[in-house]
Amino acid sequence: MNETTTTGRVTLRDLLVWTRGSRLRLLGALICALAAAGLGLAQPMIVSRTIDTATAGQPVMPLLLLLTVVFVAQATTQALSTYRLDQAGETIVMRLRVALTDQLLRLRMAVFDRQRLGDLISRATTDTTLLRDVLAQDVVNGVVSALVVVGGLAMMLWLDPVLAAVVLAVVVVSGAVVGVVLKGIRRETVAAQEATGALAAEMERVLSAIRTVRVSRAEARESRALGDRADVIRRHNVRAARLTAVVSPAIEFGVQGSLVLVIVVGLYRVAAGDIAIGDLVAFLLYVNYLAVPMSSLFDIGPAIQTGIAAMQRLQEVVDLPTEEDSARPRPDAQAFVSVGSGLALRDVRFRYTDREILTGVSFQVPRHGFTAVAGPSGAGKTTIFNLLARFYDPADGVIAFDGKDAHSDHTLEEWRTRIGLVEQSSPLMYGTLRDNISYAAPDADEERLHAVIEMTGLTDLVRRLPDGLDTMVGEHGSTLSGGEQQRVAIARSLVARPEILLLDEPTSHLDAVNEQLLTRTLRRISTEHTLLVIAHRFSTLRAADRIIVLADGKVAACGSYEEVRDHLPPVPADLGQGCA
């Protein structure tokens, strides 16, 4: 990831941390699986006894009945184990996704400036699923398989140490081959998962701007670019498959080679009178029975490597810095805080990693009133809004409201209850109009909703929509016009009754009629709120009680329109009426 983290190499222990809360289910599944394994290990011995009994001419029906009961009991306990594993797995992945989602929602804004959203989403979906499979399936199956193999080898040693030594020799050789390729499998698996996250990020970029893609006739170009991303994933997975292909013959060699050697050596020892035919059959059954758990042990390596790779990507997200909600006392803050009411900035400085944006901004906004912020592009207008919303913290200086410091006298949540923000892009969410307007205050009653609807000029829209407030607005509010989206965003901020309302160029998508309506609305809002508006349009600037002009990261002028007009940057003329 681009954001610097302190994430070290993830180990199996780090994987097992996420099993907390599901360990009883996993333990139950393990007990059932071990019981099934024990019943399976008993079957070859029952078969051996049955052969010896039949050879001696004695009745074998009781032994056959016992074999049937053991087989049914094994199948039942194995089914119960599988169900418990799936149940635990779903609980683990749910807990993982909840934790990752909560982490993503609390990351500092600087992280989102650097990370690809699609990749972050991929980590919370695809990678958690991979980790679930490892924790709830592969680890338990690996433990059971290891115990079955140990138990089976113990039974083999008891039946015939010579044949057991033959099997062990073949298994050790094939296991050594598998161990060599595991490191390469992990490397390619990590690369494939990273490439998958990159593909998800690119798809999010393209699909979120699909209208621009279409009108730019860029479908073929974007399709080729996405295809190239998919090909990177394919190449990494093919290289991993090539390494895994080495594992399969090694497993085949271990299983089939053991079986062939046991038959050859075993028949020779039967002929020499060193082992009974019933014991040889039991030994062969053990070799055949251990084939599956031995294969699982060989497969568990690549599977755990995949899980560790997924855990590495998840841990990187967990280690990203999040916002701190607690107040941070600063002994020097009170020296700057104004004793008056309203919003005050004192010598505020801020820089991004590569350049300084604010070099000492100071101004005061009255408790009630309409204040516009103007200035050329890059002067720091949006940065001030980001600092006021506490998306970022200033490098120096103080932000205060009604004499209380934004950082030392407020927690993050307390400060944001006083703030309403309407971005220039006016992002709406998929859902109904009601969902969007009441988003900041989901418990708002109908009276409050209709009051802000009337205040923002949305009454006609609500009447016109087929289901009124319960009409779906589409992805990102696509069924509404730009001006309607802007007014919905303003209504969304107002419904929470903020004391400070920040609007970033609210009239940018409005025609002349709606602009006049919104200007009147802003005047009305300013009688109840501290209203701060980033403005470029002449009409918005003229409507403001006071204008703060920024230039080169500082306040260049402050006052009425007539007082600051010489400091204002050139503004585009308002559109008039007419037809060419």
Side-chain angles (χ1 to χ4, degrees):
M1 301 180 79
N2 297 329
E3 186 76 21
T4 302
T5 64
T6 57
T7 304
R9 182 180 175 86
V10 173
T11 64
L12 182 59
R13 172 178 289 184
D14 298 310
L15 286 177
L16 295 179
V17 168
W18 288 99
T19 63
R20 291 174 182 170
S22 298
R23 290 177 181 173
L24 285 178
R25 287 193 181 95
L26 291 174
L27 179 61
L30 179 61
I31 291 173
C32 290
L34 290 175
L39 292 169
L41 288 172
Q43 292 174 30
M45 298 305 298
I46 298 174
V47 171
S48 175
R49 183 67 182 274
T50 302
I51 292 174
D52 292 341
T53 301
T55 303
Q58 297 176 0
V60 297
M61 187 57 65
L63 290 172
L64 292 176
L65 182 60
L66 175 62
L67 185 62
T68 301
V69 171
V70 170
F71 177 79
V72 171
Q74 180 196 16
T76 302
T77 52
Q78 186 62 53
L80 183 58
S81 173
T82 300
Y83 169 71
R84 285 297 186 185
L85 283 177
D86 289 340
Q87 188 181 40
E90 292 302 326
T91 302
I92 289 171
V93 76
M94 182 272 294
R95 191 180 301 113
L96 276 167
R97 286 173 176 163
V98 169
L100 263 293
T101 300
D102 184 73
Q103 175 76 358
L104 291 174
L105 291 174
R106 298 178 189 278
L107 292 177
R108 294 181 184 175
M109 293 303 297
V111 175
F112 289 107
D113 292 339
R114 296 175 174 86
Q115 301 301 326
R116 303 293 303 276
L117 291 181
D119 182 52
L120 292 174
I121 293 170
S122 174
R123 293 173 191 245
T125 52
T126 304
D127 290 329
T128 52
T129 301
L130 291 172
L131 195 57
R132 174 203 63 188
D133 295 340
V134 172
L135 292 175
Q137 299 287 341
D138 298 321
V139 172
V140 171
N141 288 338
V143 171
V144 173
S145 297
L147 292 176
V148 169
V149 169
V150 170
L153 289 174
M155 298 301 294
M156 289 179 182
L157 284 170
W158 182 70
L159 287 171
D160 191 286
V162 175
L163 292 178
V166 171
V167 172
L168 278 173
V170 177
V171 170
V172 167
V173 172
S174 59
V177 174
V178 172
V180 170
V181 300
L182 287 182
K183 186 175 181 180
I185 291 175
R186 177 179 181 177
R187 182 179 62 250
E188 296 302 331
T189 300
V190 171
Q193 288 172 235
E194 294 287 351
T196 300
L199 176 62
E202 284 298 295
M203 291 186 69
E204 189 273 339
R205 175 187 66 82
V206 172
L207 294 179
S208 64
I210 189 62
R211 287 174 173 80
T212 301
V213 171
R214 293 277 176 83
V215 78
S216 301
R217 305 170 309 285
E219 296 96 330
R221 184 171 71 252
E222 294 290 1
S223 180
R224 285 193 299 271
L226 292 173
D228 290 341
R229 295 277 186 179
D231 189 56
V232 171
I233 300 172
R234 179 194 65 82
R235 289 200 301 270
H236 286 303
N237 283 330
V238 166
R239 283 195 284 268
R242 187 182 303 132
L243 293 170
T244 304
V246 176
V247 175
S248 297
I251 295 174
E252 192 73 16
F253 172 77
V255 175
Q256 298 301 326
S258 298
L259 189 61
V260 171
L261 286 175
V262 166
I263 291 174
V264 173
V265 177
L267 289 176
Y268 175 79
R269 290 180 61 76
V270 168
D274 295 328
I275 185 174
I277 186 66
D279 289 342
L280 177 60
V281 171
F283 201 100
L284 288 170
L285 288 175
Y286 276 121
V287 173
N288 184 67
Y289 179 71
L290 294 182
V292 173
M294 284 176 65
S295 298
S296 297
L297 283 180
F298 286 126
D299 290 338
I300 195 68
I304 288 180
Q305 297 301 320
T306 299
I308 289 176
M311 185 69 243
Q312 182 80 35
R313 284 167 50 79
L314 296 178
Q315 193 64 45
E316 288 173 354
V317 176
V318 171
D319 290 342
L320 288 172
T322 56
E323 292 183 330
E324 298 178 7
D325 189 46
S326 58
R328 298 192 301 278
R330 295 190 296 170
D332 61 335
Q334 292 303 320
F336 292 93
V337 174
S338 169
V339 295
S341 63
L343 178 67
L345 278 71
R346 291 289 182 268
D347 198 27
V348 172
R349 300 173 183 271
F350 181 80
R351 67 176 297 121
Y352 289 108
T353 54
D354 57 341
R355 59 196 177 98
E356 192 170 30
I357 305 299
L358 303 180
T359 58
V361 170
S362 298
F363 63 80
Q364 189 153 351
V365 179
R367 188 69 171 77
H368 297 143
F370 181 174
T371 302
V373 180
S377 178
K381 302 183 296 297
T382 300
T383 298
I384 287 176
F385 273 32
N386 285 332
L387 294 176
L388 290 174
R390 287 189 60 180
F391 294 149
Y392 303 93
D393 293 333
D396 199 6
V398 171
I399 298 172
F401 187 69
D402 285 352
K404 292 189 176 182
D405 182 68
H407 296 82
S408 62
D409 296 327
H410 296 82
T411 65
L412 189 61
E413 183 174 357
E414 288 170 349
W415 178 257
R416 285 183 180 161
T417 60
R418 311 184 80 169
I419 294 285
L421 172 65
V422 179
E423 302 172 70
Q424 186 175 3
S425 59
S426 307
L428 301 188
M429 300 181 180
Y430 184 83
T432 65
L433 184 60
R434 181 190 302 275
D435 294 335
N436 276 276
I437 294 177
S438 64
Y439 186 76
D443 298 327
D445 56 28
E446 292 293 315
E447 182 180 356
R448 179 61 184 166
L449 288 178
H450 286 287
V452 298
I453 287 170
E454 181 180 358
M455 182 179 291
T456 52
L458 290 170
T459 304
D460 289 341
L461 171 66
V462 174
R463 290 172 179 167
R464 189 172 69 250
L465 292 175
D467 296 315
L469 280 173
D470 297 314
T471 302
M472 300 295 291
V473 299
E475 193 73 30
H476 305 300
S478 58
T479 63
L480 304 181
S481 69
E484 289 167 345
Q485 293 178 26
Q486 191 84 29
R487 282 175 288 167
V488 170
I490 295 173
R492 179 174 58 199
S493 292
L494 288 175
V495 77
R497 293 186 171 93
E499 296 175 80
I500 306 169
L501 184 60
L502 311 173
L503 284 80
D504 189 350
E505 193 58 42
T507 60
S508 59
H509 299 295
L510 302 183
D511 56 28
V513 173
N514 283 307
E515 182 182 355
Q516 291 176 5
L517 174 62
L518 182 60
T519 300
R520 290 196 297 269
T521 299
L522 296 180
R523 298 290 302 174
R524 191 169 9 161
I525 292 172
S526 67
T527 63
E528 302 177 15
H529 305 266
T530 300
L531 181 61
L532 198 60
V533 179
I534 293 177
H536 295 98
R537 284 193 176 187
F538 172 78
S539 55
T540 307
L541 294 171
R542 288 299 301 265
D545 300 319
R546 193 159 169 266
I547 301 172
I548 298 167
V549 183
L550 297 178
D552 300 323
K554 290 185 176 181
V555 175
C558 185
S560 66
Y561 177 79
E562 297 300 332
E563 292 171 330
V564 304
R565 63 185 304 171
D566 293 337
H567 296 275
L568 291 172
V571 294
D574 290 339
L575 294 176
Q577 297 181 357
C579 181

